[in-house]
Amino acid sequence: MEQLNVALIGNRGHWGYFRNAVQRIDRINWVAYSPGCADSPQRVIDSAAELGKEIKVYDDYKEMLDKENIDCVVIDGPFDLHAEMCCEALKRNKHVFCEKPIALTLEDLAKIEETYKKCAPGVEIISMVGLRAEAPFLTAYRAVQAGKIGKVKMVNTRKSYKLGERPAFYKERATYGGTIPWVGSHALDWILWFSGAKSFSKIEAYHSTTDNRNHGELEMTALVSAVMDNGVLASASIDYLRPSTAPTHGDDRVRVAGTDGVIEVMKSTVTLINADGEQVLEQLPQRGIFYDFALHLLDGEEALVDAAQTFELTRACLVARDKADLA
Amino acid sequence: MEQLNVALIGNRGHWGYFRNAVQRIDRINWVAYSPGCADSPQRVIDSAAELGKEIKVYDDYKEMLDKENIDCVVIDGPFDLHAEMCCEALKRNKHVFCEKPIALTLEDLAKIEETYKKCAPGVEIISMVGLRAEAPFLTAYRAVQAGKIGKVKMVNTRKSYKLGERPAFYKERATYGGTIPWVGSHALDWILWFSGAKSFSKIEAYHSTTDNRNHGELEMTALVSAVMDNGVLASASIDYLRPSTAPTHGDDRVRVAGTDGVIEVMKSTVTLINADGEQVLEQLPQRGIFYDFALHLLDGEEALVDAAQTFELTRACLVARDKADLA
């Protein structure tokens, strides 16, 4: 493909992955934008102007999808509209790069999967699992793939965020989706990725909204444990309890224990212990989750994630959240 | 009490806690020993001689309990005999310091609790949760008690051990009890202790015996997650995957996240983040789990653990193991 024509819907979350790739890859052609809701388009228009891009703006994102010559749609609208927007894009055989989770209910996820099955061959959909592209995690992943810890047996993950003061839509389950799908999707994605499994076989989860500083239905803490289809045991600890004084927004950790070693990512450092002793690994270059997806669509390079993983991750997050509700 | 007369049964596990206290407290009078099984008594006799102690040795531990003037029994026999030995000691109104877990089945635990209810007032039983007395964990605990992280919301724990080559009795569930009760008891004890809860309200667990290097029924990995009776969420990661090249036998970690801060013990260092920023805490003096129990019995000083916690910890470990079996 010579050029990748892209339209953006919404700016509620991590559309910056797309913006960064636009800066780095000339062959990405950002053609249009729609907020996909009542949000003002101005911030995105200004942001595009800073990149020297003049983009067409639509009130109605479906009209944009119909009228513009688009290969790929970046979806970052209201969380509760992700699923509908994915379906609308897929119906038109557009590649999709959507904020995670791509659906807030298992029913909506099923609709996306049904729509995807009817797509033209080669249409792809991934979600914004941006941490796969960050140097420490990618470095650890490549080391695991290279056999540095033998056969993977256990994966432990942590996502701890500062709460701050969140917009109103975080305070309702209907518009937020829950902390396991929102914050925990990264932790569960690491589990899926590092375990080398195709799916989660067993999932248990707990969460709690207590002491959430007037954040309505937002869960402050959550725990997920799982057995993967290849027998790997996995756990995720998720919370908004990181103190505002902490040096970084997030305390992101992954530990992978295998038959021949243990690798751990903590404070952006990758530490490996195996028969060669303990060492801090030199890190691979930073990638970009949309950057790599764009190069995949343009030139057939390997993407960091695929549709099957995107669907399974979303399913696992929603199953875990629903189990936690019932626990 | 002027003097504490103590008898020891067995030397399969951590009876060293008792031995260390004998060295430090003159008023502990070690009067007798019985292996409690076919094990040779020689190692213990030699060890006592090194301390300048001449101890009476019995083949039959019940005879020892009947004939000797004993206040307290240290129980470290075969794991599957802990429960019977506890009952025999309690029936005779002896204080008990027993290797954890004090029972390998919920039925045996119930027998101990029934026997304990019939004891004379003031008889005490605790298990060898020695990590409560180690400086880093005790320091973190006191900081939590002092309100440094506000109200506790989540506790995450890790126990990762080197496997090495274990004795035969580790390879059968009937004689070993399982990795969650054996290794995981420390992790679940931290959860009970740091959470400030009285009990585990909900427990889920997984474990796996795969790739256990010819260790029969021994589980190499386990995960436990729980909700405590005070609403705290808690998780434990337990494994024997620590590489033989690692600098220490165990990778012991505790993280406690509260409404006003997070405290973490890792590599024997205690780090606190709260409104005052991030700091490494100066550590309190090391204690000893039997040392403190002996001073408690002798002089009424505060013990680090009590009977109710001992029973609840044992119950939680066995429930978790049984749930993992069925998962």
Side-chain angles (χ1 to χ4, degrees):
Chain A
M1 195 185 279
E2 280 299 305
Q3 184 168 283
L4 187 70
N5 294 324
V6 185
L8 171 66
I9 305 174
N11 69 333
R12 289 282 180 100
H14 298 91
W15 71 283
Y17 292 129
F18 160 66
R19 190 180 187 279
N20 290 345
V22 169
Q23 289 180 286
R24 293 170 69 189
I25 304 174
D26 286 343
R27 291 187 293 150
I28 297 176
N29 181 33
W30 182 4
V31 296
Y33 175 67
S34 169
C37 63
D39 290 355
S40 159
Q42 200 55 49
R43 267 185 55 204
V44 173
I45 294 169
D46 293 347
S47 187
E50 280 170 28
L51 301 182
K53 306 286 178 189
E54 203 174 319
I55 52 173
K56 207 160 168 187
V57 175
Y58 289 83
D59 281 340
D60 179 352
Y61 80 90
K62 292 178 206 168
E63 186 189 341
M64 175 175 77
L65 297 182
D66 284 331
K67 290 195 172 163
E68 295 294 328
N69 175 25
I70 300 162
D71 303 303
C72 176
V73 185
V74 175
I75 297 175
D76 193 16
F79 299 0
D80 50 314
L81 296 180
H82 286 166
E84 176 193 302
M85 290 168 171
C86 283
C87 287
E88 293 296 332
L90 292 173
K91 272 183 203 166
R92 292 164 176 86
N93 291 306
K94 312 299 185 191
H95 302 297
V96 170
F97 177 65
C98 181
E99 177 62 284
K100 44 80 206 156
I102 63 173
L104 299 193
T105 65
L106 288 166
E107 294 67 31
D108 274 359
L109 175 61
K111 283 179 198 165
I112 301 175
E113 294 197 70
E114 282 306 307
T115 308
Y116 185 66
K117 278 181 195 154
K118 295 175 196 155
C119 276
V123 172
E124 307 209 27
I125 174 170
I126 69 167
S127 66
M128 298 185 185
V129 288
L131 299 181
R132 288 196 185 202
E134 290 201 358
F137 301 103
L138 192 57
T139 301
Y141 177 71
R142 297 294 183 213
V144 171
Q145 276 197 314
K148 298 289 186 192
I149 63 165
K151 182 177 165 189
V152 174
K153 300 302 296 177
M154 186 139 77
V155 183
N156 307 115
T157 63
R158 178 191 304 169
K159 290 290 297 181
S160 177
Y161 277 170
K162 296 178 184 178
L163 179 64
E165 180 56 45
R166 302 265 158 175
F169 71 83
Y170 277 83
K171 300 177 185 179
E172 288 183 31
R173 168 65 65 85
T175 48
Y176 172 52
T179 295
I180 292 175
W182 178 242
V183 182
S185 55
H186 292 295
L188 271 64
D189 186 56
W190 284 327
I191 289 170
L192 189 62
W193 194 37
F194 278 99
S195 68
K198 284 206 162 47
S199 63
F200 292 74
S201 295
K202 298 169 191 167
I203 298 177
E204 295 292 345
Y206 299 122
H207 59 196
S208 168
T209 62
T210 55
D211 294 297
N212 70 2
R213 301 177 211 154
N214 295 313
H215 275 72
E217 297 172 351
L218 176 142
E219 299 90 1
M220 285 294 280
T221 52
L223 293 171
V224 180
S225 56
V227 181
M228 308 305 289
D229 66 352
N230 60 356
V232 170
L233 267 54
S235 68
S237 177
I238 303 149
D239 68 75
Y240 278 113
L241 293 169
R242 190 156 169 79
S244 60
T245 53
T248 56
H249 172 61
D251 181 11
D252 287 358
R253 300 195 192 182
V254 174
R255 171 184 183 256
V256 189
T259 52
D260 300 329
V262 175
I263 199 162
E264 193 155 10
V265 181
M266 181 171 58
K267 296 182 182 178
S268 299
T269 298
V270 188
T271 308
L272 170 68
I273 311 182
N274 61 14
D276 298 330
E278 184 166 345
Q279 58 179 310
V280 171
L281 297 190
E282 195 180 330
Q283 295 188 19
L284 298 172
Q286 183 91 2
R287 305 291 301 185
I289 192 70
F290 187 75
Y291 175 87
D292 280 67
F293 188 54
L295 291 180
H296 171 68
L297 297 174
L298 282 162
D299 300 329
E301 291 192 18
E302 193 193 357
L304 289 169
V305 59
D306 64 21
Q309 291 176 323
T310 302
F311 294 144
E312 177 58 15
L313 169 64
T314 311
R315 185 190 72 81
C317 288
L318 299 176
V319 166
R321 179 200 64 189
D322 293 352
K323 284 222 170 191
D325 280 346
L326 295 172
Chain B
M1 197 184 279
E2 281 299 304
Q3 185 170 282
L4 187 69
N5 295 324
V6 185
L8 172 67
I9 306 174
N11 68 332
R12 289 283 180 98
H14 298 91
W15 71 283
Y17 292 130
F18 160 65
R19 190 180 187 280
N20 289 346
V22 169
Q23 290 180 284
R24 294 170 69 189
I25 304 175
D26 286 342
R27 290 188 292 150
I28 297 177
N29 181 34
W30 181 4
V31 296
Y33 175 67
S34 170
C37 62
D39 289 356
S40 159
Q42 200 54 51
R43 265 184 58 202
V44 173
I45 294 169
D46 293 348
S47 188
E50 280 171 28
L51 301 183
K53 307 284 178 192
E54 203 175 319
I55 52 171
K56 206 159 168 188
V57 175
Y58 288 83
D59 280 342
D60 180 352
Y61 79 89
K62 291 178 206 167
E63 187 189 342
M64 174 175 76
L65 297 182
D66 284 331
K67 291 195 174 165
E68 295 293 329
N69 176 24
I70 300 162
D71 304 305
C72 176
V73 185
V74 175
I75 298 175
D76 193 18
F79 300 179
D80 50 316
L81 296 181
H82 286 166
E84 178 193 302
M85 290 168 172
C86 284
C87 287
E88 293 295 334
L90 292 173
K91 272 182 204 165
R92 292 164 176 85
N93 291 305
K94 311 298 185 192
H95 301 298
V96 171
F97 177 64
C98 181
E99 176 63 283
K100 43 80 206 156
I102 62 172
L104 298 193
T105 65
L106 288 166
E107 293 69 29
D108 274 358
L109 175 61
K111 284 179 198 166
I112 301 175
E113 295 196 70
E114 283 306 308
T115 308
Y116 185 67
K117 279 181 195 155
K118 296 174 197 155
C119 277
V123 172
E124 306 208 26
I125 174 170
I126 69 167
S127 66
M128 298 186 185
V129 288
L131 300 181
R132 288 196 185 201
E134 290 201 358
F137 301 103
L138 192 57
T139 301
Y141 177 70
R142 297 294 183 213
V144 171
Q145 275 198 313
K148 298 290 187 192
I149 63 166
K151 182 177 167 190
V152 174
K153 300 303 295 176
M154 184 138 78
V155 182
N156 307 115
T157 63
R158 178 191 305 170
K159 289 291 297 181
S160 177
Y161 277 170
K162 296 177 183 177
L163 179 64
E165 180 58 44
R166 301 265 159 176
F169 72 82
Y170 276 85
K171 299 177 184 177
E172 288 183 30
R173 168 65 65 86
T175 49
Y176 170 54
T179 295
I180 292 175
W182 178 243
V183 182
S185 55
H186 292 296
L188 270 63
D189 185 56
W190 283 328
I191 288 170
L192 189 61
W193 194 37
F194 279 99
S195 68
K198 283 208 164 43
S199 63
F200 293 74
S201 296
K202 298 170 193 168
I203 297 178
E204 295 292 345
Y206 299 122
H207 59 195
S208 169
T209 62
T210 55
D211 296 296
N212 70 2
R213 301 177 213 154
N214 294 313
H215 276 70
E217 297 172 352
L218 176 143
E219 300 90 1
M220 286 293 280
T221 52
L223 292 171
V224 180
S225 56
V227 181
M228 308 306 288
D229 67 351
N230 59 358
V232 169
L233 267 54
S235 69
S237 177
I238 303 150
D239 68 76
Y240 278 113
L241 293 169
R242 189 155 170 81
S244 59
T245 54
T248 56
H249 172 61
D251 181 10
D252 287 358
R253 300 195 191 183
V254 174
R255 170 183 185 257
V256 189
T259 50
D260 300 329
V262 175
I263 199 162
E264 193 156 11
V265 181
M266 180 172 59
K267 297 183 183 176
S268 298
T269 298
V270 187
T271 308
L272 170 68
I273 312 182
N274 61 16
D276 298 331
E278 185 167 346
Q279 57 178 313
V280 172
L281 297 190
E282 195 180 330
Q283 294 188 17
L284 298 172
Q286 183 91 1
R287 305 293 300 186
I289 192 70
F290 187 74
Y291 176 86
D292 281 66
F293 188 53
L295 291 181
H296 171 67
L297 296 175
L298 282 163
D299 302 329
E301 290 192 18
E302 193 193 356
L304 289 168
V305 60
D306 63 20
Q309 290 175 324
T310 302
F311 294 144
E312 177 58 15
L313 169 64
T314 311
R315 186 191 70 82
C317 288
L318 298 176
V319 166
R321 179 201 64 189
D322 293 351
K323 283 223 171 189
D325 280 346
L326 295 172

